[in-house]
């Protein structure tokens, strides 16, 4: 081999080594950015198990959608996400908003757990089951400025009694206050956030602006340690997926399992949206990515929250194109009506 040939060979080897090192570095070195893209779509019936009552398997599909989130991208991952038209890159600080990755994951898992409980509660109540709720007090989520509570309560405090009468749920506090007259001084038994200290605080109630005859404390309460006493055993295998956005899909699928007939009429339906205990469907994040997933997986219909901001709805419609019919629903009843219009069976009491 000539000197020139050997020189060319060594230059080629060095170039390959440098390129390999650069690729390894690009795959290992992380940057503080996350990517969001269409995630998997799962048939909700596959994740729900019901014991203690009859179930009715159905022919159609009610699926929940997900967003694929890749946190702390590598340099290579950043480049690939940048080139993918269905992916977006977001700065890590905008995603975590002061929490760390593990805290963010735990929060989303808790939101998923609440979503499954709300779905079970709404579906079972819709079918006539009696479902009792239990809690350990009314936790203060917000205190209005200028209201009586401002000087005696803080966010995170939990009221466990009013004038000695136990308060187990937020509704108990609302009832206790509404039964008083404006100007009444009441004794609140309060536990601080860590539940390590309990004391009694007095406050004089004012009147509601919209109804002067009603007493007003000026707080937004939520039930602490809310739990449901379900008459049947409903379990969800969420596979580590977090967030509250599968609530509507879980509710519909559970209704379809417990009620005779087929809610979808055999149609493949994807759904997204939170569900609260009153059956309201709330907005979720990443709707446009989920619309891409519904289109990609061949779904005919995609039920989405009507409360979604207009720009996000518009983006979802554009991403879905003409292949998927997006139906906006504000409540469970609206979702059920939409399914009946598609040829599905109504619930027995409808």
């Amino acid at each position: 081999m000539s000197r020139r040939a050997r020189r060319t060979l060594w230059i080629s080897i060095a170039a390959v080594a440098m390129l390999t090192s650069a690729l390894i570095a690009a795959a290992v070195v992380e940057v503080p950015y996350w990517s969001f893209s269409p995630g998997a779509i799962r048939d909700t019936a596959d994740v729900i198990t019901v014991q203690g009552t009859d179930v009715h398997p159905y022919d159609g599909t009610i699926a929940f959608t997900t967003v694929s989130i890749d946190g702390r991208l590598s340099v290579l991952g950043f480049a690939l996400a940048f080139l993918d038209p269905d992916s977006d890159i977001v700065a890590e600080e905008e995603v975590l908003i002061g929490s760390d990755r593990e805290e963010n994951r735990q929060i989303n898992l808790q939101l998923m757990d609440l979503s499954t409980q709300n779905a079970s509660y709404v579906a079972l109540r819709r079918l006539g089951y009696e479902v009792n709720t239990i809690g350990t007090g009314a936790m203060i989520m917000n205190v209005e400025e200028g209201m009586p509570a401002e000087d005696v309560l803080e966010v995170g405090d939990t009221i466990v009694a009013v004038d000695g009468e136990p308060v187990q749920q937020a509704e108990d506090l609302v009832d206790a206050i509404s039964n008083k007259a404006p100007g009444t001084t009441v004794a609140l038994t309060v536990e601080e956030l860590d539940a390590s200290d309990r004391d009694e605080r007095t406050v004089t109630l004012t009147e509601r602006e919209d109804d002067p005859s009603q007493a007003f404390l000026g707080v937004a309460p939520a039930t602490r340690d809310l739990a449901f006493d379900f008459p049947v055993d409903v379990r969800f295998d969420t596979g580590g997926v977090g967030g509250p956005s599968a609530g509507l899909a879980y509710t519909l699928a559970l209704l379809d399992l417990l009620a005779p007939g087929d809610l979808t009429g055999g149609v493949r339906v994807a759904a997204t949206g939170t569900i609260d205990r009153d059956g309201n469907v709330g907005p979720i994040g990443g709707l446009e990515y989920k619309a891409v997933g519904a289109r990609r997986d061949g779904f005919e219909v995609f039920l989405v929250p009507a409360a979604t901001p207009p720009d996000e709805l518009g983006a979802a419609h554009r991403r879905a194109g003409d292949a998927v019919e997006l139906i906006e629903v504000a409540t469970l009843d609206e979702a059920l009506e939409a399914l009946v219009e598609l040829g599905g069976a109504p619930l027995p009491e409808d």
Side-chain angles (χ1 to χ4, degrees):
M1 180 182 294
S2 67
R3 178 181 294 180
R4 174 176 291 182
R6 288 197 299 272
R7 184 166 180 258
T8 301
L9 176 61
W10 281 111
I11 290 173
S12 298
I13 292 173
V16 170
M18 291 175 63
L19 179 60
T20 301
S21 297
L23 288 174
I24 292 174
V28 173
V29 176
E30 294 182 340
V31 292
Y33 290 91
W34 294 39
S35 69
F36 291 74
S37 60
I41 297 183
R42 298 182 63 186
D43 187 346
T44 312
D46 292 340
V47 306
I48 300 177
T49 302
V50 179
Q51 295 180 337
T53 189
D54 294 334
V55 296
H56 307 272
Y58 50 86
D59 295 327
T61 299
I62 300 174
F64 68 93
T65 56
T66 66
V67 175
S68 178
I69 303 175
D70 191 0
R72 273 269 160 174
L73 294 171
S74 66
V75 173
L76 179 60
F78 184 98
L80 294 174
F82 181 79
L83 295 172
D84 184 354
D86 289 330
S87 296
D88 284 319
I89 299 171
V90 181
E92 184 174 70
E93 60 185 15
E94 296 180 27
V95 179
L96 297 180
I97 315 177
S99 61
D100 60 33
R101 294 173 67 180
E102 179 59 22
E103 289 172 341
N104 182 266
R105 188 181 77 87
Q106 290 299 325
I107 289 170
N108 278 291
L109 290 176
Q110 290 175 20
L111 289 172
M112 171 60 83
D113 182 62
L114 178 61
S115 177
T116 62
Q117 292 192 62
N118 281 347
S120 300
Y121 177 85
V122 172
L124 292 172
R125 288 289 299 270
R126 190 68 170 75
L127 294 175
Y129 288 91
E130 181 178 345
V131 182
N132 296 317
T133 57
I134 54 177
T136 61
M139 178 177 283
I140 306 305
M141 309 305 291
N142 184 57
V143 180
E144 294 189 32
E145 292 185 9
M147 292 293 106
E150 185 177 20
D151 295 329
V152 295
L153 294 171
E154 295 180 354
V155 172
D157 286 342
T158 297
I159 298 174
V160 296
V162 175
D163 287 338
E165 292 296 321
V167 169
Q168 296 181 330
Q169 303 185 57
E171 292 81 359
D172 296 337
L173 175 62
V174 173
D175 291 342
I177 298 302
S178 64
N179 288 331
K180 307 292 185 182
T184 301
T185 298
V186 296
L188 307 176
T189 305
V190 180
E191 290 182 355
E192 296 183 355
L193 183 59
D194 60 3
S196 62
D197 188 28
R198 174 183 289 197
D199 62 355
E200 189 170 286
R201 309 174 192 177
T202 57
V203 60
T204 301
L205 305 175
T206 188
E207 59 186 33
R208 295 186 63 92
E209 290 186 3
D210 56 348
D211 186 354
S213 67
Q214 288 288 314
F216 192 58
L217 179 59
V219 298
T223 301
R224 185 179 65 177
D225 301 327
L226 175 66
F228 300 91
D229 183 15
F230 293 122
V232 298
D233 184 14
V234 182
R235 300 186 182 184
F236 296 82
D237 179 11
T238 60
V241 176
S245 65
L248 173 61
Y250 286 156
T251 306
L252 291 171
L254 187 53
L255 285 170
D256 218 355
L257 283 171
L258 295 177
D262 192 336
L263 289 185
T264 68
V267 174
R268 298 184 73 236
V269 175
T272 191
T274 65
I275 196 81
D276 67 17
R277 287 196 287 165
D278 294 322
N280 297 307
V281 177
I284 46 81
L287 182 60
E288 59 181 295
Y289 310 116
K290 295 176 179 181
V292 172
R295 184 198 69 208
R296 177 194 62 197
D297 287 15
F299 280 84
E300 302 167 61
V301 174
F302 188 20
L303 301 179
V304 302
T308 305
D311 58 332
E312 295 180 27
L313 273 175
H317 278 282
R318 289 192 299 273
R319 294 283 190 118
D322 297 329
V324 186
E325 181 183 4
L326 267 64
I327 301 177
E328 300 165 23
V329 297
T331 64
L332 173 63
D333 285 342
E334 288 187 9
L336 292 170
E337 290 169 6
L339 294 181
V340 170
E341 291 180 4
L342 292 170
L347 293 178
E349 67 268 33
D350 285 355

